[in-house]
Amino acid sequence: MEISRRTVLTTAAGAAALYAAPAQAAEQTPAAVVRTLRAAADYAIGKLRTVAPRVTAFPVGTRSEKWVYSQSGDWVGGFWPGTLWMAWLHSGDDTFRTLALDSAKKLAPRQSDTTTHDLGFLFYPSWVTAWRLTGDDAWRAGAVRAADSLSRRYNPTGRFIRAWGALNDPNNAGRVIMDTMMNLDLLAFASEQTGDGKYLDIATEHAKSAQRVFPRPDGSTPHVYDFDPATGAPIGPGTVQGYSPTSCWARGQAWGIYGFTTIHRRTGDQEFLTTARRLADYALGALTPDHVPVWDYRAPQQPYDVKDASAGAIMACGLLDLSAATGRPEYREAALRLLTALAKTCLTTNSTRAEAVVARCTRNRPAEDGIEISLPYADYYLLEGILRVLRPQDVDRAIDLSGAK
């Protein structure tokens, strides 16, 4: 399957102008919301000024409010340099720029990692952003190499990207997870930079497969879907981090909202936008009045279950994107409510020892791993979401909010 640039441009031409809309976003935001979000961003900058100079590896989560680190980056390594880039954009403090570059360099060995689908998480907010903000071609070339490694995980028979496991490991060979939707933009970037459409083709085919099997009629989704890796035949839904195969893990739903909107931007395919709206409408209907997602929208104890603020931050970014793509202000208004709730009720402002910015996150509830802790992607997406509102042109410089080219 191939997508010509002319076809994409023709399909997306009518929608392209919508992505210019965020340039006026700050002017359309209520003053009280602007004050709240600016205060949250300023708090984050202050926290990072204190903590970042002594960080020598990649935060993966907190224990007793202190960061626990991975030397290799695990799957979250891109979020720390990404957070530092957001801090630099907001503050103009070149210390953050230097720290972001130093941190991103430590991910260099992962360019050739073919054992994980998470190369988008690792390299987009770190290396792609570094290239976009510095112009140094070494960052672009490294991100393209990472995309090439990711492309090797594509199963052409089933038309999906395998989530977990080494390429020669039969375990999980047909396992697809919603999170992968967020890794597809690295492939789109590689096609744009190299002129080789194979990367975007893989991203598009995976997204079509996910679109076919993940959304339920009501717009909810499972975390996992399994295929027969030999034939590509669908087997059925499952879960790892959600409550059950029939539940709706909040962070996975947020990955889907953001990811389907992004692949729409890169291809102009309206079906992806329709899917993003279905997922968004379900999640918004499932939110509790405090606008902080529970960890799973269908867990038995919801709406009184533990929260996952990271799902709220991711979802807010996706909704801002979705509003720009559809021209529907209600999605932007919902995103502002989410960001305001996080800023008012989920920051670590009541603790003098906390090293992170966002509290009340849940990593893996079924495994009792990381309940009500801080997570690096919560900090990253909170800042991205706030800057999408306050400094949209700067965010566009960093991560490219444009439509199909």
Side-chain angles (χ1 to χ4, degrees), residues 1 148 151 187 191 194-204:
M1 175 260 183
D148 196 64
S151 72
L187 296 170
S191 276
T194 65
D196 188 340
K198 72 176 182 181
Y199 302 106
L200 183 59
D201 290 346
I202 288 171
T204 303

Side-chain angles (χ1 to χ4, degrees), residues 24 58 68 78 97 143 146 148 176 182 187 189 259 301 313 334 340 351 386 389 399:
Q24 293 82 37
F58 299 100
V68 175
R97 182 183 187 276
D148 196 64
V176 176
M182 292 293 291
L187 296 170
F189 172 80
Q301 291 180 311
T340 299
S351 173
I386 290 174
V389 176
I399 63 174

